[in-house]
Amino acid sequence: MGHVEFGRNQYGAPTMTSGDRRFRDLASQLTSDIQSYAPDCLELLQCIDDVVSGRSAYEEYEGNSAVVRCTPDGVTVDSLGPVPSGTTYTVDEAREVILTYFDFLAPSVQDRKRHLATWEQEHGGPFPGRHLLRLDD
């Protein structure tokens, strides 16, 4: 997979750089739509899991700059801006980038557990992808 790195600019806003241009749409969606609210990374992972597990045939997450569409064929990020763009990723590629961003926003086990608890409180139940979150590091 292409190399994606996340950081912060001089104002503290999330930024991304990608060694593989193909991953820019997904990484840009994360920094511009998820911003610094890590539980929304879990929301994206849940959308993917619902489709992969067969609980849903289609899931969508819409932000301010892009819409993420999850289907059994993969995860597509479509820009909502004036210049249309769209890139499709495999489920594994999308998960890896989203988990990288989640780890950037929640670098410690305590941070990851806190954001997981927020997601579970907002959704009224356990997050099915807990095993993906490196909660024992």
Side-chain angles (χ1 to χ4, degrees):
M1 189 191 85
H3 184 68
V4 178
E5 287 186 16
F6 297 102
R8 295 200 182 269
N9 67 17
Q10 69 270 25
Y11 304 106
T15 62
M16 69 84 191
T17 55
S18 176
D20 184 340
R21 196 165 181 65
R22 193 170 91 71
F23 289 93
R24 287 191 182 174
D25 285 344
L26 179 55
S28 292
Q29 186 277 337
L30 295 170
T31 58
S32 62
D33 289 344
I34 302 292
Q35 296 177 9
S36 292
Y37 191 65
D40 279 352
C41 288
L42 303 179
E43 186 67 25
L44 275 175
L45 291 169
Q46 178 66 41
C47 290
I48 293 169
D49 189 64
D50 282 348
V51 171
V52 169
S53 69
R55 287 189 299 271
S56 178
Y58 172 86
E59 287 292 328
E60 186 173 283
Y61 177 94
E62 186 171 335
N64 296 321
S65 68
V67 61
V68 177
R69 294 182 175 92
C70 305
T71 69
D73 296 327
V75 177
T76 301
V77 178
D78 289 312
S79 171
L80 296 174
V83 178
S85 69
T87 307
T88 300
Y89 307 93
T90 67
V91 166
D92 290 339
E93 289 172 332
R95 271 192 194 134
E96 186 174 335
V97 173
I98 295 165
L99 285 167
T100 298
Y101 194 61
F102 182 72
D103 287 348
F104 164 73
L105 294 177
S108 72
V109 172
Q110 284 180 308
D111 290 335
R112 291 190 286 276
K113 287 181 177 180
R114 180 172 45 86
H115 292 301
L116 174 62
T118 298
W119 188 94
E120 290 179 338
Q121 183 177 22
E122 288 174 356
H123 290 84
F127 178 67
R130 294 175 75 93
H131 65 282
L132 299 171
L133 303 182
R134 296 184 323 114
L135 298 173
D136 298 325
D137 287 356

